Amino acid sequence: MANQKLGGGTAPLYLEDLRVGQRFVSGTHRLDEEQIRAFAEQFDPQPFHLDAEAAKGTLFQGLVASGWHTAAVTMRLLVEGGLPIAGGVIGAEAEIIWPKPTRPGDTLHVESEIVELRPSRSNPGRGVVTVRGETRNHLGDFVQVLVAKLVVPRRT
């Protein structure tokens, strides 16, 4: 099935509109040092997120974004059209990994694939969709992989 892209005019999708193997590609977001520091100051104040000089002596050997910052950018990209689910992107369960750090100057995008669809047994008005989302930088490196179960409404 063809990729669904941001700005492609895709209407919000319901459970009946989705198919296993269906793929979506988000728009992009570029991270700079200022954004990385601002997020870290508020939510993850560790030296490798706050101070480029101090970060040189760490495992990362330079300034990196918090994994939670990468996750927040991923969420924004999905909500802005990277995963046009009716009613919003509502998570019920998730597993997340960060194979490589996000660095200043990285431009991120998300490639998502529907891996499972299941109508709800307890609520006929919705279902659960399992999505694998790969957040990649401008070099194509995976900086986050998220497998999430999302609550998706049915057309009623």
Side-chain angles (χ1 to χ4, degrees):
M1 185 164 284
N3 287 348
Q4 309 273 334
K5 292 200 180 243
L6 178 66
T10 302
L13 301 173
Y14 293 83
L15 186 67
E16 295 84 355
D17 302 321
L18 300 171
R19 301 287 174 264
V20 170
Q22 192 171 11
R23 295 184 61 80
F24 301 87
V25 179
S26 75
T28 62
H29 180 86
R30 184 176 185 278
L31 281 170
D32 59 29
E33 286 190 29
E34 184 178 325
Q35 290 175 61
I36 289 170
R37 284 190 186 106
F39 184 94
E41 284 173 1
Q42 191 166 5
F43 300 108
D44 193 355
Q46 298 187 73
F48 39 83
H49 302 318
L50 294 168
D51 183 328
E53 196 58 39
K56 289 179 184 176
T58 70
L59 167 77
F60 301 109
Q61 301 177 338
L63 191 71
V64 296
S66 167
W68 300 113
H69 191 178
T70 301
V73 169
T74 296
M75 186 64 179
R76 179 168 186 146
L77 290 170
L78 293 175
V79 168
E80 287 180 340
L83 195 57
I85 302 295
V89 180
I90 302 170
E93 181 181 318
E95 181 179 307
I96 190 169
I97 61 170
W98 296 285
K100 286 190 115 176
T102 299
R103 298 192 179 273
D106 279 356
T107 298
L108 305 181
H109 76 278
V110 184
E111 299 179 18
S112 300
E113 182 176 358
I114 306 296
V115 296
E116 183 181 18
L117 300 166
R118 185 177 44 103
S120 173
R121 285 172 265 186
S122 62
N123 185 328
R126 64 181 174 226
V128 176
V129 175
T130 303
V131 178
R132 176 183 166 94
E134 301 168 343
T135 305
R136 298 177 187 224
N137 65 20
H138 57 287
L139 301 173
D141 299 327
F142 293 99
V143 295
Q144 178 179 288
V145 178
L146 171 71
V147 177
K149 293 185 186 299
L150 306 177
V151 177
V152 177
R154 295 185 83 159
R155 231 178 262 289
T156 54

